[in-house]
Amino acid sequence: MNQDLSAQRCAQHADREAVARCPECRRYFCRECITEHDRRVLCASCLKKLTRKPLTQRRGFAGLVLALQCLIGLMVAWFFFYLVGEALLSVPTSFHEGTLWQK
């Protein structure tokens, strides 16, 4: 029951000759209806199904990564200002003698 590809028609456009068969849904498509993804030729609906799955799986992980980045950013900012404060506290009081605001 193996039919020749040249005798097949596009599943979306009946007037066009099929050039490839989608390995996921097993239907035939013309050049406009297929695309290459991950070294395979897929139709648009199967490509949409394949690319949708990882995005939903990554959303929870992406939120965790974003929260971790914010936390690390706050810790770096706190540490920077802590070091600046320590540096200002280590300045001797004699450094300020004779300044304009103490006259």
Side-chain angles (χ1 to χ4, degrees), residues 8-97:
Q8 294 297 320
R9 302 316 256 172
C10 177
Q12 300 293 326
H13 307 101
D15 59 326
R16 296 183 187 171
E17 184 178 310
V19 294
R21 185 176 187 182
C22 178
E24 295 292 319
C25 65
R26 314 295 289 169
R27 295 188 303 170
Y28 293 93
F29 293 95
C30 65
R31 292 185 190 277
E32 284 186 26
C33 296
I34 58 169
T35 186
E36 185 179 346
H37 175 71
D38 212 15
R39 297 184 179 160
R40 295 188 304 171
V41 177
L42 299 170
C43 68
S45 61
C46 290
L47 180 62
K48 191 183 295 185
K49 290 176 193 173
L50 288 176
T51 57
R52 191 179 306 158
K53 290 177 186 175
L55 289 176
T56 57
Q57 293 171 355
R58 285 189 226 155
R59 283 195 182 150
F61 183 70
L64 180 65
V65 169
L66 182 63
L68 188 62
Q69 286 175 341
C70 289
L71 181 64
I72 290 172
L74 287 172
M75 288 175 59
V76 167
W78 175 84
F79 187 67
F80 172 75
F81 286 112
Y82 173 79
L83 290 179
V84 169
E86 288 291 320
L88 290 174
L89 287 174
S90 68
V91 174
T93 56
S94 61
F95 178 77
H96 296 291
E97 288 178 5

